[in-house]
Amino acid sequence: ADCIPNDALRGKNTLMRLVLPDRLTGIASAAFYECKNLTGSLIIPEGVIEIGDNAFMACNSFTKVSIPDSVVTFGDGIFVGCEGLTDIELPDDLNIVPAYMFNGCRSMKSIALKDSVTIIGKGAFSGCVGLTSITIPNSVTSIEEEAFHSCYNLTGVVIPDGVKSIGEYAFAASGLTSITIPDSVSIVGTGAFQSCHSLKSAILSKG
């Protein structure tokens, strides 16, 4: 099995383009951490089954990422601080958006999660200050803590009927102007909508 090891090209600022081999099966933790000048599209080849923690953290310059359906194991914070990232293709059968996966991806404007997703992980989209639109599918049952914290430009979101829990500070300091919490929600964590200064309307479920 071919795997790019931990910290393999960490901080390699001379790296501007990346073509990953077809035989690749894994990308280990922090393998490309702080490759700040890596530009263009990041195509992860079909056959990769694992991507480690912070694998592409702080790769500021690439704009697109495509993750194949073969990936089944995701670390935390894979794309933290990828400030240029705007275009994201996620696997069709992704169940959990991992913790801090897109934390601080400032240029991301919209994302539509696929209807395989059941959990939006802790801090998954926190600090995505450019995010204006997110489609949360009906399959989602849990929005974990800080999932959309500090998404200043996210003015509206539809929480589908099927979500059972909204974690602590999940939408804190976001730009929401209104929110409807469906009947299915039984747990709303502390500060879930704290510091949402534009929030004018909140409709709560009968439960």
Side-chain angles (χ1 to χ4, degrees), residues 124-144:
F125 297 97
S126 55
C128 290
V129 297
L131 189 68
T132 59
S133 170
I134 174 113
T135 302
I136 299 176
N138 293 331
S139 53
V140 170
T141 59
S142 177
I143 299 170
E144 298 197 343

Side-chain angles (χ1 to χ4, degrees), residues 80-205:
V80 170
C82 291
E83 295 186 351
L85 189 57
T86 58
D87 188 357
I88 297 148
E89 291 180 21
L90 295 172
D92 286 335
D93 52 0
L94 182 69
N95 296 131
I96 299 171
V97 181
Y100 302 108
M101 189 173 198
F102 298 109
N103 169 252
C105 291
R106 302 173 64 87
S107 298
M108 185 193 303
K109 291 183 168 55
S110 68
I111 189 164
L113 298 177
K114 298 180 180 180
D115 58 12
S116 57
V117 174
T118 58
I119 296 171
I120 300 174
K122 180 177 181 178
F125 297 97
S126 55
C128 290
V129 297
L131 189 68
T132 59
S133 170
I134 174 113
T135 302
I136 299 176
N138 293 331
S139 53
V140 170
T141 59
S142 177
I143 299 170
E144 298 197 343
E145 59 264 42
E146 300 175 11
F148 298 98
H149 194 294
S150 299
C151 291
Y152 305 136
N153 288 300
L154 185 64
T155 57
V157 66
V158 176
I159 297 175
D161 195 9
V163 171
K164 295 175 182 173
S165 65
I166 299 171
E168 294 183 358
Y169 308 104
F171 293 94
S174 70
L176 293 179
T177 58
S178 65
I179 192 71
T180 299
I181 298 175
D183 292 347
S184 59
V185 174
S186 56
I187 299 169
V188 177
T190 302
F193 301 97
Q194 180 177 300
S195 301
C196 292
H197 299 303
S198 300
L199 191 61
K200 296 180 175 64
S201 167
I203 300 171
L204 307 179
S205 69

Side-chain angles (χ1 to χ4, degrees), residues 69 130 172:
D69 294 344

